[in-house]
Amino acid sequence: MSAATTRSRTPDRLCAEAVDLARAAAEEAAAPGIVGEHVGLVSEGDRVVTHFFQCLELGYRGWRWAVTVARASRAKIVTVDEAALLPGPDAVLAPEWVPWSERLRPGDMGPGDLLPTDAEDLRLEPGYSGEDEPAPKSPVSHEMADLVEAEDADLTTGPPSGFAGTPSRGSIPAVAEELGMRRARVLSRYGLHTAADRWEEAFGPKTPMAQSAPAACVSCGFLVPIGGSLGQAFGACANEFSPADGRLVSLAYGCGGHSEAAVMPRPPQPPAPVIDETRVDPFPLRPSSDSGSVTPTADEDTEELGHS
């Protein structure tokens, strides 16, 4: 370790003793009665020391007034470098700033809100191939991409129908429009997978509703099939009494509003018990004479008394 490094870690004596000078600088920068007790100092380098004072301002709990003082080489006069209000180890700070694109959650958009889509969004891919540039007023044009970089930029003052212009005759966008492929971008395979995972989590076979359903949606008459590759695993629910009415549901999803719930076979009944404890069997106290279990014998005493 060099001598210069050792000196920089050891506070300069004159700078460390300049507590009154640092307090006066802090009180000049702050309002009266805001600067509290001296809570420590730290060496910033050779002949440079920062003094910390407690901040008594309401709403700044844990913050400290930091005043940096310094002196020139071989000089005995200490001067103030700067004064600032800095957060301490226990300061109450605002949460870390998150970009608007990461703050949005499903359902946050309202009427009139615009959500610009990133040009490199993995959920989308070009709807047609070619080297033609998008129309100047298209949402995917370069000038519009520059505008959406600013969070508070106004993309347009008119309705969304005025975004795209008319493609030139004979270009690939013009041919795509004639073939019904006017969209500049369509869902990519990644976008399809993320959408399918999101829908299956909300209305899939692992939900409590599906676990207690009498049957799956694949056999329900209220299921409206959809086209495309997603139609192999999803459909739209058209039962107004179902919790998934108007939603895309997995074919393995189900609810109590199944169209065939009233005519479905009843679950098998358990067999009758072997021991029936609800019936009473009569048992005589003495066996009858004609039962065959008692031998008929004459009783001499009974005959003498005339009893039968």
Side-chain angles (χ1 to χ4, degrees):
M1 182 180 298
S2 62
T5 305
T6 305
R7 289 196 304 270
S8 63
R9 292 185 178 180
T10 303
D12 182 75
R13 183 180 61 83
L14 295 179
C15 292
E17 294 176 353
V19 177
D20 296 337
L21 176 65
R23 178 181 293 276
E27 291 178 350
E28 182 179 356
I34 300 303
V35 181
E37 300 179 356
H38 185 263
V39 294
L41 57 89
V42 62
S43 176
E44 305 289 355
D46 293 341
R47 299 178 299 278
V48 179
V49 173
T50 298
H51 294 269
F52 296 102
F53 299 91
Q54 182 182 6
C55 179
L56 304 179
E57 179 74 21
L58 297 178
Y60 285 86
R61 186 184 65 186
W63 288 64
R64 303 177 301 181
W65 285 100
V67 180
T68 303
V69 296
R71 69 181 182 89
S73 177
R74 299 182 182 277
K76 296 184 179 180
I77 299 177
V78 179
T79 58
V80 177
D81 190 0
E82 61 179 352
L85 181 62
L86 301 178
D90 301 329
V92 178
L93 301 176
E96 185 178 357
W97 183 81
V98 180
W100 66 267
S101 58
E102 299 179 11
R103 294 197 304 266
L104 288 177
R105 293 295 180 267
D108 288 350
M109 292 188 61
D113 295 339
L114 295 179
L115 178 60
T117 306
D118 189 2
E120 303 297 332
D121 197 326
L122 297 178
R123 300 172 299 174
L124 300 172
E125 62 184 7
Y128 50 83
S129 60
E131 299 180 357
D132 297 84
E133 292 290 334
K137 295 183 180 180
S138 172
V140 295
S141 62
H142 294 296
E143 59 181 13
M144 296 301 291
D146 295 338
L147 287 177
V148 300
E149 291 182 359
E151 180 177 353
D152 299 329
D154 294 331
L155 297 183
T156 179
T157 57
S161 59
F163 282 171
T166 303
S168 58
R169 183 177 179 83
S171 62
I172 293 182
V175 176
E177 182 176 5
E178 294 180 4
L179 297 177
M181 302 170 57
R182 186 64 181 94
R183 294 181 297 169
R185 290 189 291 179
V186 296
L187 275 177
S188 63
R189 184 173 297 272
Y190 173 79
L192 291 174
H193 281 294
T194 54
D197 293 341
R198 186 171 60 253
W199 297 338
E200 191 170 21
E201 183 178 357
F203 298 99
K206 297 182 179 180
T207 57
M209 180 67 72
Q211 294 291 333
S212 59
C217 292
V218 67
S219 60
C220 182
F222 294 107
L223 182 73
V224 179
I226 62 174
S229 59
L230 289 177
Q232 302 176 7
F234 295 93
C237 179
N239 188 351
E240 60 178 328
F241 300 106
S242 171
D245 181 36
R247 304 291 187 90
L248 285 180
V249 297
S250 172
L251 297 183
Y253 179 74
C255 68
H258 196 280
S259 61
E260 310 303 322
V263 296
M264 283 185 177
R266 296 181 178 180
Q269 297 293 331
V274 178
I275 301 177
D276 189 358
E277 298 179 352
T278 61
R279 298 178 57 184
V280 178
D281 296 332
F283 290 94
L285 297 178
R286 296 179 180 178
S288 59
S289 58
D290 57 350
S291 63
S293 60
V294 179
T295 304
T297 57
D299 191 351
E300 298 178 354
D301 297 337
T302 304
E303 292 179 355
E304 294 179 355
L305 295 176
H307 294 283
S308 57

mmCIF file of all heavy atoms in Angstrom, residues 62-108:
data_model
loop_
_atom_site.group_PDB
_atom_site.id
_atom_site.type_symbol
_atom_site.label_atom_id
_atom_site.label_comp_id
_atom_site.label_asym_id
_atom_site.label_seq_id
_atom_site.Cartn_x
_atom_site.Cartn_y
_atom_site.Cartn_z
ATOM 1 N N GLY A 62 -33.792 10.125 8.026
ATOM 2 C CA GLY A 62 -32.601 9.384 7.650
ATOM 3 C C GLY A 62 -31.680 10.101 6.682
ATOM 4 O O GLY A 62 -30.614 9.576 6.347
ATOM 5 N N TRP A 63 -32.065 11.304 6.221
ATOM 6 C CA TRP A 63 -31.197 12.069 5.309
ATOM 7 C C TRP A 63 -30.189 12.880 6.125
ATOM 8 O O TRP A 63 -30.380 13.141 7.306
ATOM 9 C CB TRP A 63 -32.036 12.998 4.436
ATOM 10 C CG TRP A 63 -32.815 12.258 3.389
ATOM 11 C CD1 TRP A 63 -33.799 11.350 3.591
ATOM 12 C CD2 TRP A 63 -32.665 12.379 1.980
ATOM 13 N NE1 TRP A 63 -34.283 10.882 2.406
ATOM 14 C CE2 TRP A 63 -33.606 11.503 1.386
ATOM 15 C CE3 TRP A 63 -31.845 13.135 1.147
ATOM 16 C CZ2 TRP A 63 -33.736 11.363 0.012
ATOM 17 C CZ3 TRP A 63 -31.973 13.009 -0.230
ATOM 18 C CH2 TRP A 63 -32.905 12.123 -0.786
ATOM 19 N N ARG A 64 -29.109 13.281 5.466
ATOM 20 C CA ARG A 64 -28.037 14.012 6.150
ATOM 21 C C ARG A 64 -27.542 15.147 5.254
ATOM 22 O O ARG A 64 -27.483 15.002 4.034
ATOM 23 C CB ARG A 64 -26.870 13.073 6.481
ATOM 24 C CG ARG A 64 -27.243 11.878 7.323
ATOM 25 C CD ARG A 64 -26.059 10.956 7.539
ATOM 26 N NE ARG A 64 -25.498 10.463 6.290
ATOM 27 C CZ ARG A 64 -24.465 9.622 6.206
ATOM 28 N NH1 ARG A 64 -23.864 9.221 7.323
ATOM 29 N NH2 ARG A 64 -24.015 9.218 5.038
ATOM 30 N N TRP A 65 -27.193 16.254 5.929
ATOM 31 C CA TRP A 65 -26.529 17.340 5.215
ATOM 32 C C TRP A 65 -25.045 17.010 5.129
ATOM 33 O O TRP A 65 -24.397 16.763 6.142
ATOM 34 C CB TRP A 65 -26.731 18.670 5.931
ATOM 35 C CG TRP A 65 -28.110 19.226 5.752
ATOM 36 C CD1 TRP A 65 -29.152 19.164 6.616
ATOM 37 C CD2 TRP A 65 -28.584 19.919 4.596
ATOM 38 N NE1 TRP A 65 -30.248 19.761 6.096
ATOM 39 C CE2 TRP A 65 -29.942 20.246 4.845
ATOM 40 C CE3 TRP A 65 -28.007 20.297 3.387
ATOM 41 C CZ2 TRP A 65 -30.724 20.933 3.919
ATOM 42 C CZ3 TRP A 65 -28.786 20.981 2.467
ATOM 43 C CH2 TRP A 65 -30.119 21.296 2.730
ATOM 44 N N ALA A 66 -24.543 16.978 3.916
ATOM 45 C CA ALA A 66 -23.137 16.650 3.676
ATOM 46 C C ALA A 66 -22.406 17.898 3.195
ATOM 47 O O ALA A 66 -22.787 18.496 2.184
ATOM 48 C CB ALA A 66 -23.010 15.532 2.641
ATOM 49 N N VAL A 67 -21.382 18.276 3.938
ATOM 50 C CA VAL A 67 -20.579 19.455 3.594
ATOM 51 C C VAL A 67 -19.140 18.998 3.417
ATOM 52 O O VAL A 67 -18.528 18.442 4.345
ATOM 53 C CB VAL A 67 -20.676 20.542 4.678
ATOM 54 C CG1 VAL A 67 -19.819 21.749 4.288
ATOM 55 C CG2 VAL A 67 -22.124 20.942 4.900
ATOM 56 N N THR A 68 -18.602 19.213 2.239
ATOM 57 C CA THR A 68 -17.223 18.817 1.937
ATOM 58 C C THR A 68 -16.312 20.036 2.064
ATOM 59 O O THR A 68 -16.565 21.079 1.445
ATOM 60 C CB THR A 68 -17.121 18.238 0.517
ATOM 61 O OG1 THR A 68 -18.014 17.132 0.410
ATOM 62 C CG2 THR A 68 -15.712 17.779 0.224
ATOM 63 N N VAL A 69 -15.258 19.882 2.865
ATOM 64 C CA VAL A 69 -14.271 20.951 3.057
ATOM 65 C C VAL A 69 -12.910 20.451 2.585
ATOM 66 O O VAL A 69 -12.662 19.237 2.546
ATOM 67 C CB VAL A 69 -14.203 21.379 4.536
ATOM 68 C CG1 VAL A 69 -15.533 21.982 4.970
ATOM 69 C CG2 VAL A 69 -13.838 20.202 5.428
ATOM 70 N N ALA A 70 -12.054 21.382 2.229
ATOM 71 C CA ALA A 70 -10.722 21.019 1.724
ATOM 72 C C ALA A 70 -9.761 22.161 2.004
ATOM 73 O O ALA A 70 -10.174 23.285 2.335
ATOM 74 C CB ALA A 70 -10.785 20.717 0.222
ATOM 75 N N ARG A 71 -8.490 21.858 1.884
ATOM 76 C CA ARG A 71 -7.453 22.884 2.011
ATOM 77 C C ARG A 71 -6.341 22.565 1.022
ATOM 78 O O ARG A 71 -6.123 21.403 0.640
ATOM 79 C CB ARG A 71 -6.897 22.953 3.432
ATOM 80 C CG ARG A 71 -6.076 21.760 3.870
ATOM 81 C CD ARG A 71 -5.591 21.932 5.299
ATOM 82 N NE ARG A 71 -4.758 20.797 5.711
ATOM 83 C CZ ARG A 71 -3.436 20.739 5.543
ATOM 84 N NH1 ARG A 71 -2.792 21.757 4.980
ATOM 85 N NH2 ARG A 71 -2.756 19.672 5.942
ATOM 86 N N ALA A 72 -5.655 23.606 0.598
ATOM 87 C CA ALA A 72 -4.565 23.432 -0.359
ATOM 88 C C ALA A 72 -3.344 22.866 0.346
ATOM 89 O O ALA A 72 -3.238 22.860 1.584
ATOM 90 C CB ALA A 72 -4.240 24.765 -1.030
ATOM 91 N N SER A 73 -2.414 22.369 -0.432
ATOM 92 C CA SER A 73 -1.177 21.812 0.124
ATOM 93 C C SER A 73 -0.383 22.896 0.839
ATOM 94 O O SER A 73 -0.221 24.006 0.322
ATOM 95 C CB SER A 73 -0.335 21.200 -1.001
ATOM 96 O OG SER A 73 0.881 20.713 -0.497
ATOM 97 N N ARG A 74 0.061 22.597 2.042
ATOM 98 C CA ARG A 74 0.857 23.485 2.900
ATOM 99 C C ARG A 74 0.062 24.704 3.360
ATOM 100 O O ARG A 74 0.636 25.648 3.899
ATOM 101 C CB ARG A 74 2.133 23.944 2.193
ATOM 102 C CG ARG A 74 3.048 22.793 1.817
ATOM 103 C CD ARG A 74 4.323 23.313 1.150
ATOM 104 N NE ARG A 74 5.187 22.229 0.749
ATOM 105 C CZ ARG A 74 6.060 21.606 1.563
ATOM 106 N NH1 ARG A 74 6.160 22.004 2.824
ATOM 107 N NH2 ARG A 74 6.807 20.613 1.102
ATOM 108 N N ALA A 75 -1.265 24.706 3.138
ATOM 109 C CA ALA A 75 -2.100 25.815 3.595
ATOM 110 C C ALA A 75 -2.793 25.423 4.882
ATOM 111 O O ALA A 75 -3.081 24.254 5.123
ATOM 112 C CB ALA A 75 -3.119 26.203 2.529
ATOM 113 N N LYS A 76 -3.057 26.404 5.731
ATOM 114 C CA LYS A 76 -3.727 26.152 6.999
ATOM 115 C C LYS A 76 -5.167 26.671 7.008
ATOM 116 O O LYS A 76 -5.836 26.583 8.032
ATOM 117 C CB LYS A 76 -2.950 26.815 8.144
ATOM 118 C CG LYS A 76 -1.558 26.228 8.336
ATOM 119 C CD LYS A 76 -0.873 26.841 9.531
ATOM 120 C CE LYS A 76 0.527 26.221 9.735
ATOM 121 N NZ LYS A 76 1.213 26.817 10.925
ATOM 122 N N ILE A 77 -5.620 27.209 5.886
ATOM 123 C CA ILE A 77 -6.982 27.731 5.802
ATOM 124 C C ILE A 77 -7.847 26.672 5.110
ATOM 125 O O ILE A 77 -7.546 26.215 4.015
ATOM 126 C CB ILE A 77 -7.031 29.051 5.016
ATOM 127 C CG1 ILE A 77 -6.166 30.109 5.736
ATOM 128 C CG2 ILE A 77 -8.463 29.534 4.860
ATOM 129 C CD1 ILE A 77 -6.085 31.424 4.997
ATOM 130 N N VAL A 78 -8.950 26.303 5.773
ATOM 131 C CA VAL A 78 -9.877 25.306 5.235
ATOM 132 C C VAL A 78 -11.037 26.033 4.564
ATOM 133 O O VAL A 78 -11.602 26.985 5.137
ATOM 134 C CB VAL A 78 -10.389 24.382 6.359
ATOM 135 C CG1 VAL A 78 -11.377 23.359 5.807
ATOM 136 C CG2 VAL A 78 -9.222 23.692 7.032
ATOM 137 N N THR A 79 -11.399 25.627 3.384
ATOM 138 C CA THR A 79 -12.494 26.241 2.631
ATOM 139 C C THR A 79 -13.582 25.197 2.357
ATOM 140 O O THR A 79 -13.344 23.983 2.399
ATOM 141 C CB THR A 79 -11.996 26.811 1.291
ATOM 142 O OG1 THR A 79 -11.398 25.750 0.525
ATOM 143 C CG2 THR A 79 -10.969 27.906 1.527
ATOM 144 N N VAL A 80 -14.777 25.719 2.059
ATOM 145 C CA VAL A 80 -15.918 24.846 1.770
ATOM 146 C C VAL A 80 -15.926 24.502 0.290
ATOM 147 O O VAL A 80 -15.838 25.395 -0.572
ATOM 148 C CB VAL A 80 -17.238 25.520 2.182
ATOM 149 C CG1 VAL A 80 -18.429 24.642 1.803
ATOM 150 C CG2 VAL A 80 -17.236 25.800 3.678
ATOM 151 N N ASP A 81 -16.056 23.224 -0.001
ATOM 152 C CA ASP A 81 -16.110 22.780 -1.392
ATOM 153 C C ASP A 81 -17.548 22.756 -1.893
ATOM 154 O O ASP A 81 -17.886 23.372 -2.905
ATOM 155 C CB ASP A 81 -15.477 21.389 -1.523
ATOM 156 C CG ASP A 81 -15.294 20.983 -2.966
ATOM 157 O OD1 ASP A 81 -15.657 21.783 -3.855
ATOM 158 O OD2 ASP A 81 -14.838 19.854 -3.229
ATOM 159 N N GLU A 82 -18.433 22.018 -1.194
ATOM 160 C CA GLU A 82 -19.831 21.948 -1.606
ATOM 161 C C GLU A 82 -20.674 21.490 -0.418
ATOM 162 O O GLU A 82 -20.161 20.903 0.547
ATOM 163 C CB GLU A 82 -20.030 20.993 -2.787
ATOM 164 C CG GLU A 82 -19.624 19.555 -2.487
ATOM 165 C CD GLU A 82 -19.867 18.633 -3.672
ATOM 166 O OE1 GLU A 82 -20.481 19.096 -4.652
ATOM 167 O OE2 GLU A 82 -19.463 17.460 -3.603
ATOM 168 N N ALA A 83 -21.969 21.741 -0.491
ATOM 169 C CA ALA A 83 -22.926 21.301 0.530
ATOM 170 C C ALA A 83 -24.154 20.745 -0.179
ATOM 171 O O ALA A 83 -24.658 21.349 -1.138
ATOM 172 C CB ALA A 83 -23.317 22.455 1.448
ATOM 173 N N ALA A 84 -24.630 19.605 0.298
ATOM 174 C CA ALA A 84 -25.764 18.941 -0.351
ATOM 175 C C ALA A 84 -26.503 18.096 0.672
ATOM 176 O O ALA A 84 -25.958 17.723 1.716
ATOM 177 C CB ALA A 84 -25.297 18.091 -1.525
ATOM 178 N N LEU A 85 -27.759 17.790 0.365
ATOM 179 C CA LEU A 85 -28.580 16.915 1.194
ATOM 180 C C LEU A 85 -28.560 15.532 0.556
ATOM 181 O O LEU A 85 -29.041 15.341 -0.563
ATOM 182 C CB LEU A 85 -30.006 17.449 1.280
ATOM 183 C CG LEU A 85 -30.988 16.659 2.141
ATOM 184 C CD1 LEU A 85 -30.532 16.631 3.588
ATOM 185 C CD2 LEU A 85 -32.398 17.252 2.032
ATOM 186 N N LEU A 86 -28.014 14.537 1.279
ATOM 187 C CA LEU A 86 -27.837 13.197 0.745
ATOM 188 C C LEU A 86 -28.548 12.181 1.627
ATOM 189 O O LEU A 86 -28.654 12.377 2.839
ATOM 190 C CB LEU A 86 -26.350 12.839 0.654
ATOM 191 C CG LEU A 86 -25.475 13.742 -0.223
ATOM 192 C CD1 LEU A 86 -24.030 13.283 -0.168
ATOM 193 C CD2 LEU A 86 -25.987 13.752 -1.659
ATOM 194 N N PRO A 87 -29.019 11.092 1.057
ATOM 195 C CA PRO A 87 -29.673 10.062 1.873
ATOM 196 C C PRO A 87 -28.659 9.254 2.667
ATOM 197 O O PRO A 87 -27.561 8.943 2.193
ATOM 198 C CB PRO A 87 -30.380 9.181 0.832
ATOM 199 C CG PRO A 87 -29.577 9.368 -0.409
ATOM 200 C CD PRO A 87 -29.070 10.782 -0.380
ATOM 201 N N GLY A 88 -29.030 8.923 3.892
ATOM 202 C CA GLY A 88 -28.184 8.097 4.733
ATOM 203 C C GLY A 88 -28.521 6.625 4.598
ATOM 204 O O GLY A 88 -29.351 6.221 3.773
ATOM 205 N N PRO A 89 -27.885 5.788 5.402
ATOM 206 C CA PRO A 89 -28.154 4.342 5.310
ATOM 207 C C PRO A 89 -29.600 3.976 5.610
ATOM 208 O O PRO A 89 -30.130 3.016 5.051
ATOM 209 C CB PRO A 89 -27.198 3.740 6.352
ATOM 210 C CG PRO A 89 -26.136 4.770 6.550
ATOM 211 C CD PRO A 89 -26.812 6.088 6.370
ATOM 212 N N ASP A 90 -30.269 4.743 6.500
ATOM 213 C CA ASP A 90 -31.649 4.449 6.875
ATOM 214 C C ASP A 90 -32.634 5.439 6.272
ATOM 215 O O ASP A 90 -33.749 5.602 6.781
ATOM 216 C CB ASP A 90 -31.793 4.457 8.403
ATOM 217 C CG ASP A 90 -30.880 3.446 9.066
ATOM 218 O OD1 ASP A 90 -30.609 2.401 8.436
ATOM 219 O OD2 ASP A 90 -30.438 3.696 10.210
ATOM 220 N N ALA A 91 -32.266 6.075 5.185
ATOM 221 C CA ALA A 91 -33.129 7.094 4.594
ATOM 222 C C ALA A 91 -34.320 6.454 3.886
ATOM 223 O O ALA A 91 -34.229 5.347 3.362
ATOM 224 C CB ALA A 91 -32.335 7.946 3.599
ATOM 225 N N VAL A 92 -35.424 7.172 3.901
ATOM 226 C CA VAL A 92 -36.631 6.744 3.189
ATOM 227 C C VAL A 92 -36.529 7.277 1.764
ATOM 228 O O VAL A 92 -36.536 8.477 1.533
ATOM 229 C CB VAL A 92 -37.900 7.264 3.882
ATOM 230 C CG1 VAL A 92 -39.143 6.854 3.112
ATOM 231 C CG2 VAL A 92 -37.969 6.754 5.313
ATOM 232 N N LEU A 93 -36.420 6.363 0.806
ATOM 233 C CA LEU A 93 -36.235 6.740 -0.585
ATOM 234 C C LEU A 93 -37.440 6.312 -1.406
ATOM 235 O O LEU A 93 -38.187 5.401 -1.041
ATOM 236 C CB LEU A 93 -34.969 6.078 -1.158
ATOM 237 C CG LEU A 93 -33.647 6.404 -0.444
ATOM 238 C CD1 LEU A 93 -32.505 5.612 -1.059
ATOM 239 C CD2 LEU A 93 -33.355 7.888 -0.505
ATOM 240 N N ALA A 94 -37.611 6.971 -2.519
ATOM 241 C CA ALA A 94 -38.665 6.591 -3.455
ATOM 242 C C ALA A 94 -38.275 5.284 -4.136
ATOM 243 O O ALA A 94 -37.089 4.965 -4.270
ATOM 244 C CB ALA A 94 -38.870 7.693 -4.495
ATOM 245 N N PRO A 95 -39.242 4.493 -4.559
ATOM 246 C CA PRO A 95 -38.895 3.236 -5.251
ATOM 247 C C PRO A 95 -38.151 3.510 -6.546
ATOM 248 O O PRO A 95 -38.244 4.593 -7.126
ATOM 249 C CB PRO A 95 -40.265 2.595 -5.507
ATOM 250 C CG PRO A 95 -41.249 3.716 -5.430
ATOM 251 C CD PRO A 95 -40.688 4.687 -4.441
ATOM 252 N N GLU A 96 -37.400 2.535 -6.964
ATOM 253 C CA GLU A 96 -36.608 2.673 -8.187
ATOM 254 C C GLU A 96 -37.521 2.917 -9.380
ATOM 255 O O GLU A 96 -38.564 2.273 -9.527
ATOM 256 C CB GLU A 96 -35.775 1.413 -8.408
ATOM 257 C CG GLU A 96 -34.829 1.506 -9.591
ATOM 258 C CD GLU A 96 -33.988 0.244 -9.749
ATOM 259 O OE1 GLU A 96 -34.128 -0.645 -8.891
ATOM 260 O OE2 GLU A 96 -33.209 0.168 -10.712
ATOM 261 N N TRP A 97 -37.127 3.851 -10.221
ATOM 262 C CA TRP A 97 -37.939 4.208 -11.370
ATOM 263 C C TRP A 97 -37.987 3.053 -12.357
ATOM 264 O O TRP A 97 -36.966 2.425 -12.660
ATOM 265 C CB TRP A 97 -37.374 5.450 -12.045
ATOM 266 C CG TRP A 97 -38.205 5.929 -13.197
ATOM 267 C CD1 TRP A 97 -39.333 6.686 -13.144
ATOM 268 C CD2 TRP A 97 -37.977 5.650 -14.585
ATOM 269 N NE1 TRP A 97 -39.829 6.907 -14.401
ATOM 270 C CE2 TRP A 97 -39.022 6.290 -15.306
ATOM 271 C CE3 TRP A 97 -37.007 4.936 -15.273
ATOM 272 C CZ2 TRP A 97 -39.105 6.224 -16.695
ATOM 273 C CZ3 TRP A 97 -37.097 4.869 -16.654
ATOM 274 C CH2 TRP A 97 -38.135 5.512 -17.357
ATOM 275 N N VAL A 98 -39.178 2.774 -12.839
ATOM 276 C CA VAL A 98 -39.393 1.688 -13.794
ATOM 277 C C VAL A 98 -39.938 2.296 -15.074
ATOM 278 O O VAL A 98 -40.855 3.133 -15.031
ATOM 279 C CB VAL A 98 -40.388 0.642 -13.231
ATOM 280 C CG1 VAL A 98 -40.602 -0.486 -14.228
ATOM 281 C CG2 VAL A 98 -39.869 0.100 -11.910
ATOM 282 N N PRO A 99 -39.412 1.953 -16.241
ATOM 283 C CA PRO A 99 -39.940 2.517 -17.496
ATOM 284 C C PRO A 99 -41.421 2.214 -17.662
ATOM 285 O O PRO A 99 -41.946 1.224 -17.144
ATOM 286 C CB PRO A 99 -39.095 1.808 -18.572
ATOM 287 C CG PRO A 99 -37.854 1.365 -17.868
ATOM 288 C CD PRO A 99 -38.263 1.062 -16.463
ATOM 289 N N TRP A 100 -42.096 3.072 -18.385
ATOM 290 C CA TRP A 100 -43.542 2.928 -18.547
ATOM 291 C C TRP A 100 -43.894 1.598 -19.197
ATOM 292 O O TRP A 100 -44.924 1.009 -18.890
ATOM 293 C CB TRP A 100 -44.085 4.088 -19.373
ATOM 294 C CG TRP A 100 -43.591 4.083 -20.800
ATOM 295 C CD1 TRP A 100 -42.507 4.728 -21.301
ATOM 296 C CD2 TRP A 100 -44.183 3.398 -21.906
ATOM 297 N NE1 TRP A 100 -42.357 4.485 -22.630
ATOM 298 C CE2 TRP A 100 -43.382 3.676 -23.042
ATOM 299 C CE3 TRP A 100 -45.298 2.584 -22.050
ATOM 300 C CZ2 TRP A 100 -43.665 3.156 -24.294
ATOM 301 C CZ3 TRP A 100 -45.569 2.066 -23.308
ATOM 302 C CH2 TRP A 100 -44.777 2.356 -24.418
ATOM 303 N N SER A 101 -43.037 1.119 -20.111
ATOM 304 C CA SER A 101 -43.342 -0.126 -20.802
ATOM 305 C C SER A 101 -43.326 -1.323 -19.857
ATOM 306 O O SER A 101 -43.959 -2.338 -20.134
ATOM 307 C CB SER A 101 -42.335 -0.352 -21.932
ATOM 308 O OG SER A 101 -41.007 -0.379 -21.410
ATOM 309 N N GLU A 102 -42.614 -1.201 -18.729
ATOM 310 C CA GLU A 102 -42.565 -2.282 -17.754
ATOM 311 C C GLU A 102 -43.577 -2.086 -16.624
ATOM 312 O O GLU A 102 -43.827 -3.016 -15.865
ATOM 313 C CB GLU A 102 -41.158 -2.394 -17.159
ATOM 314 C CG GLU A 102 -40.076 -2.696 -18.202
ATOM 315 C CD GLU A 102 -38.700 -2.769 -17.585
ATOM 316 O OE1 GLU A 102 -38.618 -2.800 -16.336
ATOM 317 O OE2 GLU A 102 -37.711 -2.783 -18.327
ATOM 318 N N ARG A 103 -44.143 -0.881 -16.523
ATOM 319 C CA ARG A 103 -45.139 -0.624 -15.479
ATOM 320 C C ARG A 103 -46.535 -1.055 -15.897
ATOM 321 O O ARG A 103 -47.385 -1.291 -15.052
ATOM 322 C CB ARG A 103 -45.162 0.862 -15.127
ATOM 323 C CG ARG A 103 -43.898 1.388 -14.473
ATOM 324 C CD ARG A 103 -44.153 2.716 -13.788
ATOM 325 N NE ARG A 103 -44.699 3.717 -14.671
ATOM 326 C CZ ARG A 103 -43.963 4.620 -15.324
ATOM 327 N NH1 ARG A 103 -42.648 4.598 -15.198
ATOM 328 N NH2 ARG A 103 -44.527 5.525 -16.101
ATOM 329 N N LEU A 104 -46.765 -1.144 -17.195
ATOM 330 C CA LEU A 104 -48.103 -1.481 -17.665
ATOM 331 C C LEU A 104 -48.469 -2.898 -17.279
ATOM 332 O O LEU A 104 -47.639 -3.802 -17.303
ATOM 333 C CB LEU A 104 -48.178 -1.321 -19.189
ATOM 334 C CG LEU A 104 -48.176 0.114 -19.721
ATOM 335 C CD1 LEU A 104 -48.183 0.111 -21.227
ATOM 336 C CD2 LEU A 104 -49.375 0.886 -19.192
ATOM 337 N N ARG A 105 -49.727 -3.085 -16.943
ATOM 338 C CA ARG A 105 -50.274 -4.388 -16.609
ATOM 339 C C ARG A 105 -51.556 -4.599 -17.412
ATOM 340 O O ARG A 105 -52.176 -3.633 -17.870
ATOM 341 C CB ARG A 105 -50.580 -4.480 -15.099
ATOM 342 C CG ARG A 105 -49.345 -4.450 -14.229
ATOM 343 C CD ARG A 105 -48.480 -5.666 -14.453
ATOM 344 N NE ARG A 105 -47.290 -5.670 -13.627
ATOM 345 C CZ ARG A 105 -46.115 -5.191 -14.008
ATOM 346 N NH1 ARG A 105 -45.996 -4.648 -15.215
ATOM 347 N NH2 ARG A 105 -45.077 -5.238 -13.208
ATOM 348 N N PRO A 106 -51.931 -5.854 -17.635
ATOM 349 C CA PRO A 106 -53.179 -6.095 -18.381
ATOM 350 C C PRO A 106 -54.366 -5.403 -17.725
ATOM 351 O O PRO A 106 -54.576 -5.492 -16.524
ATOM 352 C CB PRO A 106 -53.315 -7.628 -18.315
ATOM 353 C CG PRO A 106 -51.917 -8.127 -18.154
ATOM 354 C CD PRO A 106 -51.214 -7.100 -17.311
ATOM 355 N N GLY A 107 -55.111 -4.684 -18.537
ATOM 356 C CA GLY A 107 -56.272 -3.964 -18.028
ATOM 357 C C GLY A 107 -56.000 -2.515 -17.690
ATOM 358 O O GLY A 107 -56.926 -1.797 -17.297
ATOM 359 N N ASP A 108 -54.757 -2.027 -17.831
ATOM 360 C CA ASP A 108 -54.442 -0.644 -17.490
ATOM 361 C C ASP A 108 -54.903 0.341 -18.564
ATOM 362 O O ASP A 108 -55.102 1.516 -18.273
ATOM 363 C CB ASP A 108 -52.936 -0.475 -17.264
ATOM 364 C CG ASP A 108 -52.474 -1.110 -15.963
ATOM 365 O OD1 ASP A 108 -53.350 -1.500 -15.171
ATOM 366 O OD2 ASP A 108 -51.258 -1.226 -15.752
#
